[in-house]
Amino acid sequence: MLPLSVLDLSVVTTGTKPAAALRNSIDLARHVDGLGYVRYWLAEHHNLASVASPAPDVMIGQIAAVTKHIRVGSGGVMLPNHAPLVVAERFKMLEALFPGRIDLGLGRAPGTDGATAYALRSRLDRREGDDFLERLHELCLWETRDFPSGHPYNNVVAMPDDTPLPPIWLLGSSDYSSELSAQVGMGFAFAHHFASHDAVDAMVNYRNRFKPSAWRQTPHAILAVAAIAADTDEEAENLAASYDLNRLRRDRGQYLPLPSVEEALAYPYSDAERVSIGRGRSRLFVGTPATVQKKLQPLIDASKPDELMVITPVYDHETRKKSYSLLAESFGLAKAA
């Protein structure tokens, strides 16, 4: 049985304000915890009208407090936006409060536009260019305490100092993070739902080049996909109309709340727009649970993930919950739980 997990963006819709979207995330986490999903990850995005969660660490604490079994983590913390010490302190706190249930997923991108990224980081000692590797190294040093002799950080302790950092995962949509995850011996999660890079190449490359480390002795690769399941293929296709219109708008730089099915079905698409939507459907798996599994199976067989992480971009919250229930039944989670 392939384990299933959830990636949640706390999606804002035209009928769901951001505060309600955050509460929906807590409700969905409770729901999938009872279904046997193994992980629930929250994203970090800023200045996006369609995403309500800019602070995954806050949501992790809230969700871990109301669930019992599921691991809760970040998918991910955008490391360029944060001082590594702050990340270490917050996630050590979460691990202390919920031992063995926290994951620290790290992203290399800022998760926003240039102006917002500057506003997030303008008061930090920010170096020019991509300093992700430097930040990752420093974050690891807060755990290993291998700072050079005489380094001023030798006198600084990330509290609580009796609690380790939770497992670290590197997130990616290209070959960069798969290479880095393999080299440093960490977990790897690939974002198939928006990546242009080939998922099979990234996943296989990670597994083949993985080097055991103090962080992990064996590779663990998560494949994140977008999927919508319903009782019939026709119903699922209608639900996917919201995603189609939203993705079309995103391609134009319009990060609007997710539209309703009715709005999406009534939209006057041009022939060129329909072609664009057809291309985008290669990243979305739609249908009954059996149909979704059939469409996913070739990708699963080729990429050999240790775990499948599902994001379900639908308008109605109860419908989203039902989609996760149908997938859980189809993949045998309830029986395994």
Side-chain angles (χ1 to χ4, degrees), residues 40-53:
Y40 197 100
W41 281 6
L42 291 306
E44 175 188 341
H45 288 286
H46 302 272
N47 194 33
L48 292 183
S50 56
V51 180
S53 175

Side-chain angles (χ1 to χ4, degrees), residues 260-315:
S260 68
V261 172
E262 292 74 18
E263 178 185 351
L265 292 176
Y267 185 88
Y269 295 100
S270 68
D271 290 342
E273 288 173 333
R274 293 189 184 279
V275 170
S276 177
I277 287 172
R279 287 196 299 266
R281 278 301 191 92
S282 65
R283 299 188 192 130
L284 180 65
F285 301 89
V286 181
T288 65
T291 300
V292 170
Q293 271 199 296
K294 183 178 179 181
K295 291 178 177 179
L296 274 170
Q297 201 59 51
L299 178 61
I300 292 171
D301 291 342
S303 61
K304 295 180 172 56
D306 297 289
E307 190 176 321
L308 198 65
M309 183 169 278
V310 180
I311 179 171
T312 299
V314 297
Y315 180 82

Side-chain angles (χ1 to χ4, degrees), residues 196-318:
S196 57
H197 189 79
D198 179 51
V200 176
D201 176 74
M203 301 281 281
V204 171
N205 183 57
Y206 163 72
R207 191 173 301 282
N208 288 343
R209 302 193 180 196
F210 182 86
K211 298 177 181 178
S213 71
W215 303 102
R216 291 197 69 88
Q217 288 299 301
T218 58
H220 192 109
I222 298 174
L223 179 64
V225 300
I228 298 172
D231 290 327
T232 67
D233 288 341
E234 182 181 11
E235 181 187 356
E237 286 292 336
N238 281 340
L239 295 174
S242 296
Y243 168 88
D244 291 337
L245 179 55
N246 198 52
R247 192 198 63 79
L248 191 66
R249 287 170 170 170
R250 287 203 315 269
D251 289 346
R252 297 170 178 165
Q254 301 171 352
Y255 292 89
L256 302 175
L258 189 71
S260 68
V261 172
E262 292 74 18
E263 178 185 351
L265 292 176
Y267 185 88
Y269 295 100
S270 68
D271 290 342
E273 288 173 333
R274 293 189 184 279
V275 170
S276 177
I277 287 172
R279 287 196 299 266
R281 278 301 191 92
S282 65
R283 299 188 192 130
L284 180 65
F285 301 89
V286 181
T288 65
T291 300
V292 170
Q293 271 199 296
K294 183 178 179 181
K295 291 178 177 179
L296 274 170
Q297 201 59 51
L299 178 61
I300 292 171
D301 291 342
S303 61
K304 295 180 172 56
D306 297 289
E307 190 176 321
L308 198 65
M309 183 169 278
V310 180
I311 179 171
T312 299
V314 297
Y315 180 82
D316 179 70
H317 177 59
E318 293 300 322

Side-chain angles (χ1 to χ4, degrees), residues 141-194:
L141 287 172
W142 288 116
E143 177 69 12
T144 63
R145 305 300 308 171
D146 290 332
F147 291 109
S149 177
H151 196 284
Y153 288 177
N154 278 318
N155 297 319
V156 181
V157 177
M159 293 295 288
D161 62 354
D162 62 343
T163 303
L165 276 176
I168 297 178
W169 303 77
L170 301 188
L171 318 182
S173 57
S174 67
D175 58 346
Y176 177 89
S177 290
S178 69
E179 291 272 2
L180 181 57
S181 302
Q183 288 177 19
V184 298
M186 292 178 177
F188 173 58
F190 184 80
H192 174 273
H193 56 292
F194 66 81

